[in-house]
Amino acid sequence: MTKYIYAFEEGSQSMKDLLGGKGANLAEMMRLGLPVPDGFTITTEACIEYLKQGATLSDELKEELHTQLKAFSERTGKSFSSDDNLLLVSVRSGAKISMPGMMDTILNLGLNDENVEKLAEKTNDARFAYDCYRRLLQMFGQVVYGINMTAFDRFFDKYKEDNGYETDAEIPAEGLKVISARFKEIYEEEVYKPFPQDPFTQLTEAVEAVFKSWDNDRARVYRDLNDIPHDIGTGVNIQEMVFGNSGDRSGTGVAFTRNPVTGDNHVFGEYLLNAQGEDVVAGIRTPKEIETLAQQMPEVYQEFVDVTEKLEAHYKDMQDIEFTIENGKLYILQTRNGKRTAKAAMKIAVDLVDEGVITKEEALTKVDVKSIDTLLHPTFKPEAIEAAEAISDAGLPASPGASTGKVVFSAEDAKVQADQGEKVILMRPETSPEDIEGMVASEAIVTTHGGMTSHAAVVARGMGKCCVTGCSNLNIDTENKVVTYHGQTLNEGDIISVDGSTGNIYLGDIEKTDADHSEDFDRFMQWTQETARLNVRMNAETPQDIASGYQFDAAGIGLVRTEHMFFGAERLVQMRRFILASSQEERIEALNEIRKYQIEDFEQIFRLSNGRPTIVRLLDPPLHEFLPKTNDEIQLVSQQLNVDKDVLRKRIVDLHETNPMLGHRGCRLAVTYPELAEMQTEAIIGSVLKLKNEGIESQPEIMIPLVSTVEEFKTLKDTIQATAESMLAKDNTSIDYLIGTMIETPRACLIAGQLAKESEFFSFGTNDLTQLTFGFSRDDAGKFISEYINRGLLEVDPFQTLDVDGVGQLIKTAVEQAKAANPNIKIGVCGELGGDPKSIHYFNNLAIDYVSCSPFRVPGAMLAAAQSQAESERAIGAKQ
Ligand code: PEP
Ligand code: MG
């Protein structure tokens, strides 16, 4: 019989898959002798089984639950029915990969009309007992039966108001009794049956609710966002309650062993006295900084600091710890590797290496590739900040970034407006897990309540999104869609700028500046290069982009898309003259003009590359992309080129293609207009020779796009070679240059061996290869791909993450054939997938030399390449 429940004392850190992260870590902490309230964990397997059956808890599981409860009662000496030693438990979810706030928790389970009286008597504190009871009624009603919290909150707030209580703490026992009684009525009105008085029924219903919460919308969205599989299920942890709300020597809090925003090495956290569970994370009351606990309860504080040190040393990583103090005694309720900003991740990784806790290779696993992006984000220009008008006293800098957008007041509005292409800033009193989609859609999030560990702060940091919390000077009125501050107002649609690194908010759009790199960043990136086998090049053609890529230490340029160089007004005129020419003579005339621009550009590119390999691709796109479309444009072009409008119109019609992606593009252009390949070769070689005279070496690699046959390749290779060689002969000089092909049609993959005999390098164009392998238009697939993913027909968008089974297989076959035919061939990938971590992992395991991606993806690609290499080496090591 499968064992579905494990007591904490039976588990360990290594059982994460089965017990979930929270369960495994509770067990581990117990093994370390830390003060953890006892309990047991229902496995993730039980959850998966339950969701498969889609019915109620199996008899088998209920029986095991009974047996475990009995053993638990014996260990603790407490039971649900005891008069003196009443057992109350918390029920919490806990998946293998932590999903903060995404699933459900119930506290104080076991209370009923009778037990609440027993608790009041035992603790001599009826206020406390009824506070626990009303919380259970609320949480149970919400989590198990989906009762809207506002149903309870409305009554609670009105009761406070009617009786003149400012804070929750002022409500006396009698008041909480009245509130509990009314909550039971609300429960019954909503659920059509009374609140279950039997604790075991409460427990089984709560367990079922946690299982079901695995599939709720917000959990699904969170998993999609964080690449967490949907089929691993959650564990359920049932743990003896300890009470942070049992008076002024009690409290509850969350702390990180290092600062999760900056990475600084000191305990960083918040707590609330006389509060329970979710009060801190929910952001309803603004908590105190952990350091003040040193004054309020010095021994507890010291014990807590000792625990944090022990846990960090044990897990060799920054920990996020939940704790409760019950009448002066400390309990640890959870530890996990803490979520952190990219900046903090980098600093913590580098510091842990310097402290001798982890190796450089281990450090590489501590920074998420996706988070690297946020380090490269711009910040506001200091001069622009000085001139800007701040709209609030500083809030808390919960998650760094510099964002500008229009104010919106609800997650729904954020989503709708972002879908319409607006940049929006979500302003809320606080956020809750229901707001997740709106948070994703926003540039930044601003809240008035809550601290650095509030829902908004934690979730935004996880997303790498700019966030400011605790702006207590702003009054955010979501109903009337207005913010008031210092006698002024801000309305929906007004533009503001949010600085997540300082907590400041400003009116209007503020000029930004490129991100600057810390010393930690440079050291860390150096380690990635020491570990990675794959080189990372960039796809770029403008001086600014190339400079950025080289700033990130790109190994060269993997793709210069020459067509991107013709969008300037003047160049476009010449390009149009070329396309519209009716004879070869006219075409050559136009090309002579274009050559001048090309030489200028290539000279700049090779100068910036300064000896690093640089692939220049021959013109690729369908020519009609350059032609005028509207009547006004046609009028203008007819004047510029001195061509009759009707002749122009006719030429446009002639050039029209039904399937331009499959039409006259790629190498087919140069096959039909060899003078194009000649001109581009002359410009490349000419600029290299010019630089050579200045003493600057270049490594030009000339690439032919969209090849499907060996003959196509050979024809163009001959043209390029003949042109280059005649130039070199004329100059009586020589240079190293390569001629290679893109591999971006399935046919090219299948004849890769033959192509490799002719070609000096290959570069996989995974954008076109994916398009042609699936038959999905890369321009139109957006219309259906998300539905495919939502309905499980596709796991991921194959234009963003490699389709291993199809496109991946073609690439693998091609690489194997190519290497067999030409062991010296250089192979790279230059489609979008060249910057995607999962795809990079696949490419790293093939015998290819580099990936190439847009400049700002270069550092992430370098880290992904290093992580992949470290993982492969670990796997080989483990086998030996
Ligand atoms: C590709 O197809 O992957 C590629 C890099 O070329 P382009 O995107 O310019 O077609
Ligand atoms: Mg392509």
Side-chain angles (χ1 to χ4, degrees):
M1 217 175 67
T2 316
K3 180 173 165 68
Y4 284 126
I5 304 179
Y6 288 77
F8 290 168
E9 60 188 15
E10 293 176 287
S12 75
Q13 183 187 353
S14 62
M15 292 167 74
K16 261 192 181 157
D17 285 353
L18 190 64
L19 302 179
K22 189 177 289 184
N25 285 337
L26 282 166
E28 187 72 12
M29 286 197 288
M30 196 164 247
R31 288 157 72 96
L32 292 174
L34 298 179
V36 177
D38 199 0
F40 54 86
T41 304
I42 307 180
T43 63
T44 53
E45 277 178 6
C47 172
I48 295 164
E49 197 60 28
Y50 172 87
L51 292 174
K52 255 194 229 152
Q53 304 297 334
T56 47
L57 291 189
S58 66
D59 289 344
E60 214 180 317
L61 185 60
K62 277 191 193 159
E63 207 179 300
E64 204 177 333
L65 202 48
H66 265 299
T67 316
Q68 276 289 345
L69 262 180
K70 204 161 154 249
F72 184 41
S73 285
E74 276 162 20
R75 287 201 304 275
T76 57
K78 294 180 175 179
S79 85
F80 284 141
S81 56
S82 166
D83 287 342
D84 305 326
N85 278 316
L86 187 63
L87 176 66
L88 297 178
V89 295
S90 64
V91 178
R92 290 174 206 256
S93 59
K96 175 186 167 186
I97 303 163
S98 93
M99 299 167 53
M102 285 299 121
M103 289 184 296
D104 294 321
T105 293
I106 300 175
L107 303 178
N108 312 330
L109 192 137
L111 281 178
N112 52 25
D113 294 354
E114 204 183 324
N115 282 348
V116 69
E117 284 295 330
K118 283 189 207 165
L119 185 65
E121 205 175 308
K122 173 84 194 311
T123 57
N124 204 11
D125 191 348
R127 186 190 181 283
F128 158 69
Y130 278 93
D131 189 42
C132 291
Y133 197 26
R134 66 99 187 167
R135 286 171 190 265
L136 169 66
L137 290 161
Q138 242 171 318
M139 276 186 270
F140 192 91
Q142 189 203 19
V143 172
V144 181
Y145 288 101
I147 304 176
N148 195 328
M149 263 303 191
T150 50
F152 297 110
D153 287 344
R154 218 178 292 128
F155 179 77
F156 191 83
D157 291 341
K158 179 143 192 339
Y159 187 87
K160 260 168 61 181
E161 198 184 313
D162 288 351
N163 291 281
Y165 304 128
E166 293 260 321
T167 64
D168 298 1
E170 287 170 40
I171 311 174
E174 280 315 307
L176 289 166
K177 262 188 204 179
V178 173
I179 289 168
S180 301
R182 177 63 195 136
F183 277 11
K184 274 194 293 177
E185 284 169 13
I186 294 174
Y187 180 98
E188 196 162 344
E189 284 159 16
E190 297 279 339
V191 180
Y192 301 115
K193 61 181 180 186
F195 174 72
Q197 293 291 314
D198 171 29
F200 192 75
T201 307
Q202 291 175 11
L203 185 59
T204 51
E205 290 196 10
V207 169
E208 274 190 67
V210 173
F211 283 166
K212 282 187 195 143
S213 74
W214 175 255
D215 261 340
N216 70 27
D217 288 346
R218 62 181 205 251
R220 284 201 153 266
V221 171
Y222 187 90
R223 289 200 294 272
D224 283 338
L225 217 62
N226 292 281
D227 282 341
I228 300 172
H230 290 297
D231 60 357
I232 55 173
T234 178
V236 187
N237 299 292
I238 292 145
Q239 190 174 25
E240 187 185 345
M241 280 298 305
V242 283
F243 294 98
N245 57 338
S246 57
D248 289 339
R249 288 198 41 79
S250 301
T252 184
V254 181
F256 296 84
T257 53
R258 298 181 191 228
N259 186 313
V261 179
T262 61
D264 289 344
N265 186 6
H266 59 81
V267 177
F268 176 90
E270 296 165 330
Y271 70 102
L272 281 169
L273 284 187
N274 203 1
Q276 200 172 35
E278 306 302 286
D279 292 354
V280 178
V281 268
I284 292 161
R285 278 163 63 189
T286 302
K288 288 200 168 78
E289 284 176 15
I290 192 87
E291 286 80 10
T292 49
L293 188 64
Q295 282 110 52
Q296 290 191 303
M297 292 187 208
E299 309 84 60
V300 175
Y301 179 73
Q302 193 48 52
E303 188 187 352
F304 181 68
V305 171
D306 292 346
V307 168
T308 62
E309 282 169 9
K310 204 167 181 180
L311 282 172
E312 190 179 278
H314 183 71
Y315 286 99
K316 295 183 172 186
D317 200 353
M318 186 264 261
Q319 295 296 293
D320 165 359
I321 301 165
E322 278 180 27
F323 63 96
T324 284
I325 305 159
E326 185 184 65
N327 297 320
K329 171 150 179 40
L330 175 72
Y331 292 94
I332 307 297
L333 301 185
Q334 168 164 306
T335 191
R336 61 185 170 198
N337 292 342
K339 298 248 181 267
R340 61 204 80 177
T341 62
K343 186 171 171 224
M346 196 70 82
K347 178 162 173 50
I348 291 169
V350 171
D351 285 353
L352 287 173
V353 170
D354 289 345
E355 290 161 25
V357 179
I358 57 173
T359 62
K360 288 179 189 171
E361 287 73 28
E362 284 169 329
L364 296 177
T365 64
K366 305 244 177 257
V367 179
D368 181 12
V369 173
K370 275 193 198 158
S371 76
I372 290 264
D373 242 13
T374 60
L375 282 179
L376 313 174
H377 285 330
T379 48
F380 294 125
K381 282 195 172 161
E383 322 84 78
I385 289 269
E386 253 170 47
E389 188 183 337
I391 64 166
S392 79
D393 300 340
L396 299 171
S399 181
S403 303
T404 300
K406 290 186 170 171
V407 171
V408 292
F409 293 95
S410 74
E412 294 74 42
D413 288 350
K415 212 173 157 290
V416 169
Q417 296 196 26
D419 283 346
Q420 290 163 358
E422 293 288 356
K423 289 188 184 318
V424 296
I425 309 274
L426 179 61
M427 297 190 85
R428 308 268 316 153
E430 69 250 327
T431 62
S432 71
E434 283 76 30
D435 295 327
I436 185 131
E437 284 184 272
M439 295 171 78
V440 173
S442 305
E443 300 296 307
I445 295 129
V446 175
T447 69
T448 42
H449 299 328
M452 300 288 278
T453 53
S454 65
H455 177 266
V458 170
V459 173
R461 269 205 297 279
M463 290 177 187
K465 189 143 288 199
C466 174
C467 178
V468 174
T469 57
C471 302
S472 46
N473 291 307
L474 300 181
N475 181 8
I476 298 179
D477 178 349
T478 53
E479 218 154 276
N480 296 305
K481 301 194 173 182
V482 63
V483 182
T484 43
Y485 64 99
H486 301 315
Q488 306 204 50
T489 57
L490 200 59
N491 295 301
E492 187 178 42
D494 287 353
I495 292 181
I496 58 168
S497 293
V498 180
D499 189 337
S501 307
T502 59
N504 288 325
I505 304 170
Y506 304 91
L507 276 185
D509 191 352
I510 298 181
E511 220 183 318
K512 301 173 186 73
T513 185
D514 287 347
D516 66 334
H517 309 145
S518 65
E519 204 184 304
D520 291 334
F521 179 88
D522 292 338
R523 283 182 68 200
F524 186 85
M525 290 316 297
Q526 182 59 36
W527 298 343
T528 68
Q529 292 192 52
E530 286 164 20
T531 305
R533 183 191 67 76
L534 278 181
N535 277 326
V536 178
R537 295 196 195 180
M538 68 177 117
N539 298 349
E541 42 282 322
T542 68
Q544 203 183 3
D545 284 356
I546 294 172
S548 301
Y550 282 138
Q551 222 187 346
F552 299 136
D553 274 342
I557 301 182
L559 177 61
V560 169
R561 289 178 163 105
T562 50
E563 57 273 16
H564 285 189
M565 300 166 154
F566 295 106
F567 292 135
E570 238 181 81
R571 296 165 176 224
L572 199 53
V573 173
Q574 298 308 330
M575 192 63 183
R576 284 169 166 163
R577 195 185 298 283
F578 163 74
I579 297 167
L580 295 165
S582 46
S583 68
Q584 194 184 30
E585 235 168 44
E586 265 182 62
R587 254 196 309 277
I588 290 178
E589 233 170 74
L591 286 177
N592 283 339
E593 289 303 307
I594 294 174
R595 184 191 294 103
K596 290 182 200 155
Y597 299 124
Q598 293 260 275
I599 290 180
E600 240 174 65
D601 290 340
F602 293 147
E603 204 185 301
Q604 217 169 16
I605 290 172
F606 288 119
R607 193 183 293 280
L608 286 165
S609 277
N610 197 16
R612 284 167 284 209
T614 299
I615 292 185
V616 179
R617 181 177 72 184
L618 299 189
L619 203 70
D620 181 45
L623 293 183
H624 71 77
E625 275 188 14
F626 295 98
L627 291 182
K629 290 179 185 70
T630 62
N631 277 337
D632 286 352
E633 280 172 346
I634 291 173
Q635 167 82 27
L636 178 72
V637 172
S638 98
Q639 281 167 3
Q640 283 173 333
L641 302 184
N642 199 15
V643 186
D644 182 79
K645 264 197 290 182
D646 292 333
V647 174
L648 186 54
R649 280 212 175 84
K650 180 168 180 314
R651 188 75 181 119
I652 294 170
V653 171
D654 288 347
L655 281 166
H656 172 79
E657 293 182 303
T658 312
N659 279 317
M661 273 293 177
L662 306 177
H664 194 196
R665 62 167 289 218
C667 62
R668 299 155 209 168
L669 292 175
V671 167
T672 47
Y673 301 132
E675 53 274 22
L676 193 57
E678 282 163 16
M679 179 280 288
Q680 292 202 292
T681 307
E682 281 165 12
I684 294 167
I685 302 293
S687 55
V688 168
L689 286 176
K690 189 152 179 253
L691 289 176
K692 192 175 177 200
N693 287 335
E694 289 180 29
I696 298 171
E697 287 302 321
S698 307
Q699 275 196 61
E701 303 184 338
I702 304 174
M703 181 155 75
I704 303 171
L706 215 73
V707 162
S708 302
T709 74
V710 180
E711 289 68 28
E712 273 175 331
F713 181 73
K714 271 174 39 189
T715 304
L716 291 179
K717 181 178 151 188
D718 288 349
T719 307
I720 295 167
Q721 231 166 18
T723 310
E725 291 307 318
S726 96
M727 288 178 80
L728 295 175
K730 220 193 276 166
D731 252 32
N732 197 18
T733 185
S734 69
I735 56 164
D736 286 334
Y737 67 95
L738 302 181
I739 304 176
T741 178
M742 290 199 76
I743 301 287
E744 48 186 347
T745 70
R747 190 174 194 281
C749 291
L750 298 172
I751 59 154
Q754 296 171 49
L755 279 168
K757 286 190 188 136
E758 299 293 333
S759 182
E760 289 169 299
F761 68 90
F762 275 3
S763 179
F764 286 93
T766 51
N767 304 332
D768 275 307
L769 187 57
T770 303
Q771 165 170 264
L772 296 170
T773 303
F774 275 90
F776 288 170
S777 157
R778 58 194 264 193
D779 295 329
D780 302 313
K783 295 195 176 107
F784 56 84
I785 283 213
S786 52
E787 187 169 342
Y788 267 50
I789 293 170
N790 289 342
R791 288 174 51 188
L793 303 180
L794 274 178
E795 220 170 278
V796 287
D797 177 349
F799 289 103
Q800 287 180 37
T801 299
L802 178 74
D803 154 51
V804 169
D805 293 344
V807 180
Q809 276 306 307
L810 280 171
I811 294 176
K812 186 163 181 275
T813 306
V815 170
E816 283 166 4
Q817 275 193 37
K819 285 277 168 183
N822 176 2
N824 293 327
I825 193 164
K826 277 214 274 186
I827 303 182
V829 172
C830 68
E832 271 305 297
L833 303 184
D836 170 68
K838 277 194 190 150
S839 314
I840 289 172
H841 183 56
Y842 183 87
F843 298 138
N844 187 47
N845 291 328
L846 298 178
I848 71 164
D849 301 288
Y850 69 88
V851 291
S852 188
C853 53
S854 52
F856 275 85
R857 295 184 88 187
V858 165
M862 282 178 170
L863 176 56
Q867 286 178 345
S868 169
Q869 187 62 18
E871 192 181 319
S872 305
E873 282 167 17
R874 267 198 308 276
I876 293 168
K879 265 193 208 151
Q880 282 166 353

